[in-house]
Amino acid sequence: MMHNPMVYMANQAYRGAATTVPPLKAISMLLGGTITFLQKSVAAQEARRFEEGHEYLMKATAILRGLSHNLDFTRGGAVAERMFQTYNALILASLKAFGRPRARENYERIVAGLTELREAWEQVDATSRGGKAVPADSARRG
């Protein structure tokens, strides 16, 4: 039985995504969700709604934690290890930035890193499907 509703919701999201969306697309979508939750957290913090901001932060970190726990170290080797370290660094940076005087600037850097990571996964997805890499902006419009 799961005691943390955030963990339960994250697991449900992964199960749903795994059955309906190709894995590389699911990673891109989950990273997009993380970005959205972090942006909502910043907006709530700036509006002095700290509990709401904390909830969004917990949703964002739950996604990153889920991504890190679903890595296949046997098949992924050094790449999986590096992704594990990256996801954990993003989690720690997000947690440390919460409620700080320069939270917006810190979260902007974190979101920029997540956006770059998402775009890299989108290019891997496009390449693996045998097509040309789609420019990042057009991939989200259509």
Side-chain angles (χ1 to χ4, degrees):
M1 183 168 138
M2 298 211 180
H3 298 287
N4 186 337
M6 294 293 180
V7 172
Y8 177 77
M9 288 176 13
N11 283 333
Q12 291 300 100
Y14 297 117
R15 284 191 189 115
T19 60
T20 60
V21 177
L24 294 174
K25 179 70 175 168
I27 292 169
S28 176
M29 292 171 66
L30 289 165
L31 290 171
T34 302
I35 291 167
T36 300
F37 286 135
L38 288 177
Q39 290 168 334
K40 288 181 177 185
S41 177
V42 170
Q45 289 176 60
E46 289 176 342
R48 307 197 62 71
R49 296 187 316 266
F50 293 105
E51 287 183 27
E52 180 182 338
H54 188 262
E55 287 178 31
Y56 285 127
L57 175 62
M58 291 298 100
K59 289 178 182 181
T61 58
I63 292 170
L64 293 172
R65 195 174 319 100
L67 286 168
S68 73
H69 289 307
N70 284 290
L71 293 167
D72 185 345
F73 292 96
T74 304
R75 290 179 53 202
V79 173
E81 180 62 36
R82 181 68 183 135
M83 291 309 306
F84 182 79
Q85 292 170 356
T86 299
Y87 291 139
N88 285 325
L90 288 165
I91 291 168
L92 288 174
S94 297
L95 293 171
K96 286 181 181 180
F98 184 79
R100 301 283 188 216
R102 297 183 51 177
R104 173 167 285 285
E105 292 85 7
N106 293 331
Y107 280 116
E108 285 173 353
R109 284 194 298 276
I110 294 165
V111 166
L114 284 165
T115 300
E116 188 176 322
L117 185 59
R118 179 182 63 190
E119 289 170 357
W121 280 113
E122 288 171 349
Q123 287 194 340
V124 169
D125 183 30
T127 303
S128 72
R129 287 185 280 126
K132 290 186 348 185
V134 179
D137 290 338
S138 64
R140 278 182 280 294
R141 283 189 209 132

